[in-house]
Amino acid sequence: MDATNPHPAPAPRALATEAVHAGRDDLARQGLHAPPIDLSTTYPSYDSRGEAARVDAFAATGAEPDGPPVYGRVGNPTVSRFETALARLEGTGSAVAFASGMAALTAVLLARVASGLRHVVAVRPLYGSSDHLLTAGLLGTEVTWTDPAGIADALRPDTGLVVVESPANPTLAELDLRAVAHSCGSVPLLVDNTFATPVLQRPAEHGARIVLHSATKYLGGHGDVMAGVVACDEEFAGLLRQVRFATGGVLHPLAGYLLLRGLSTLPVRVRAASANASELARRLTADPRVARVHYPRIGGAMIAFEVHGDPHEVTAAVRLITPAVSLGSVDTLIQHPASISHRVVDAEDRRGSGVNDRLLRLSVGLEDVDDLWADLDGALAPLSRGAGLCSYAAPPRGATSRI
């Protein structure tokens, strides 16, 4: 294996093909069809001198050891398959998986702090826990919050990272990633690509050095696995593996298997859910009970909308849609960010970044769009009674949207 590129790609293939085959290219040669799950925590080694050399090499560079596995905290073959696949989908040299999205962000920050680069420049809004981790300085970091136009002026000699999310959680605000990357100069740009996934955008193609996913969401896609992953070049991946080894934020092999399986349907799921979301956004935009709808130009399966009235009445009234945190599952979820996902963000900062108290976030799934609309229409009904409005009928398909 080439130490400078542990995940060499075959000839260029379409994303849908990579989603099905990346990480599985060696299976047929082994007489296998489904990827195996390796649950071992440790592995036999009768050559302790050779093992010592491999451990020394890992400690020096963080490169994946040649030869058989060593120990579950160094790496796992099943997890490596998922990492290989995700790196190919994002168009990066490597990827490193972790136990959660927050564990992945923590590893990135620790890797930069270890290099003496404690300052972070960030653009709101971010996922609430990411905002909290940066603001609290729990890892010895100092953050400067700015808008995209202020990134270049906010950089300092000790700036180790610029952090953005586009489309952003939960407002779905979008950034010009190429312009942002240019503003970063030599400072690595981290883009949280959880909402878009590589189906809709590949930040590395626009100059981002680090691409972060809460793999719990669309990459897993079924609400049954928690994970995080960082797609990046091999040099930075080596640092992340060393942090993972030292801190123990490893991904369980079964989770790695479920994620690899989830990637195979990622393009189909994202496109189908996006079609539902686009139609629901169109209907919500025309609804007099809704004050404003946020839906990204690049599309996607996430909608944010502000209501006239009490948003808590909406989340209490859904029946088909599940009122719950998280997103990216095959079923539709709704939640009130100011109460849950972004509650840990200071109220003034939260509202200043567009997360107002009447905003609801909808993660659209794969159900029939008319069934979803019937549930939303019913959940919005209490707002109609409170405002003296009539129940709303969906506009004809093709009506102009005011998103």
Side-chain angles (χ1 to χ4, degrees):
M1 183 177 291
D2 182 354
T4 63
N5 185 8
H7 305 301
R13 304 185 295 200
L15 184 134
T17 303
E18 289 285 27
V20 172
H21 290 280
R24 304 168 178 83
D25 300 285
D26 64 327
L27 293 180
R29 293 192 299 273
Q30 299 182 55
L32 300 172
H33 183 245
I37 306 174
D38 187 332
L39 295 172
S40 298
T41 58
T42 192
Y43 299 86
S45 175
Y46 296 97
D47 179 8
S48 56
R49 292 186 180 86
E51 199 77 337
R54 296 198 317 136
V55 170
D56 287 345
F58 176 81
T61 67
E64 292 183 311
D66 292 327
V70 178
Y71 181 57
R73 198 151 39 85
V74 176
N76 172 273
T78 305
V79 173
S80 291
R81 289 183 181 277
F82 163 64
E83 293 170 333
T84 296
L86 193 277
R88 294 242 284 274
L89 290 180
E90 282 289 4
T92 60
S94 296
V96 184
F98 295 86
S100 70
M102 290 308 300
L105 178 58
T106 295
V108 172
L109 294 173
L110 288 175
R112 301 309 283 160
V113 169
S115 300
L117 301 171
R118 298 178 175 273
H119 182 239
V120 177
V121 175
V123 176
R124 283 191 171 112
L126 297 175
Y127 168 54
S129 291
S130 301
D131 188 309
H132 175 68
L133 180 63
L134 293 172
T135 303
L138 295 173
L139 303 177
T141 56
E142 177 188 349
V143 63
T144 297
W145 295 100
T146 185
D147 57 30
I151 289 174
D153 290 338
L155 300 178
R156 305 187 326 204
D158 64 338
T159 303
L161 197 65
V162 175
V163 179
V164 303
E165 184 174 358
S166 180
N169 186 353
T171 67
L172 303 175
E174 297 176 273
L175 301 176
D176 182 338
L177 295 181
R178 193 173 300 279
V180 169
H182 179 74
S183 298
C184 294
S186 62
V187 176
L189 170 63
L190 180 152
V191 176
D192 187 327
N193 203 35
T194 299
F195 276 21
T197 80
V199 177
L200 300 180
Q201 79 180 2
R202 307 212 303 180
E205 294 178 350
H206 301 284
R209 183 179 174 190
I210 303 166
V211 182
L212 177 75
H213 285 272
S214 172
T216 307
K217 313 305 193 297
Y218 289 103
L219 303 189
H222 294 77
D224 56 7
V225 59
M226 183 169 287
V229 64
V230 178
C232 55
D233 58 44
E234 173 55 21
E235 179 183 0
F236 193 66
L239 296 175
L240 292 179
R241 293 188 198 102
Q242 290 176 320
V243 172
R244 183 176 63 181
F245 175 76
T247 60
V250 297
L251 184 65
H252 192 276
L254 181 57
Y257 170 83
L258 291 172
L259 287 166
L260 184 64
R261 187 176 68 173
L263 289 185
S264 63
T265 60
L266 178 66
V268 176
R269 287 187 286 104
V270 169
R271 289 168 183 148
S274 297
N276 277 350
S278 178
E279 174 61 16
L280 290 178
R282 184 182 69 86
R283 297 185 188 189
L284 287 167
T285 298
D287 194 305
R289 298 165 294 187
V290 176
R292 187 180 182 188
V293 175
H294 307 260
Y295 187 67
R297 290 187 301 273
I298 65 170
M302 299 299 301
I303 305 171
F305 62 100
E306 302 164 27
V307 296
H308 293 297
D310 186 353
H312 300 286
E313 293 187 4
V314 179
T315 58
V318 292
R319 293 296 177 263
L320 175 64
I321 297 166
T322 301
V325 296
S326 199
L327 56 106
S329 184
V330 291
D331 61 318
T332 301
L333 308 177
I334 192 169
Q335 66 112 356
H336 182 241
S339 295
I340 308 178
S341 64
H342 288 70
R343 191 67 179 177
V344 293
V345 180
D346 176 80
E348 183 176 345
D349 293 334
R350 186 171 67 232
R351 294 179 185 122
S353 62
V355 188
N356 67 57
D357 292 343
R358 292 193 176 185
L359 183 77
L360 291 167
R361 190 189 74 187
L362 187 69
S363 170
V364 182
L366 302 181
E367 303 94 337
D368 183 89
V369 70
D370 289 326
D371 289 334
L372 291 173
W373 176 250
D375 196 37
L376 274 177
D377 186 34
L380 290 166
L383 306 186
S384 300
R385 292 192 292 271
L389 299 171
C390 297
S391 181
Y392 170 71
R397 291 182 182 272
T400 301
S401 172
R402 294 183 288 106
I403 300 172

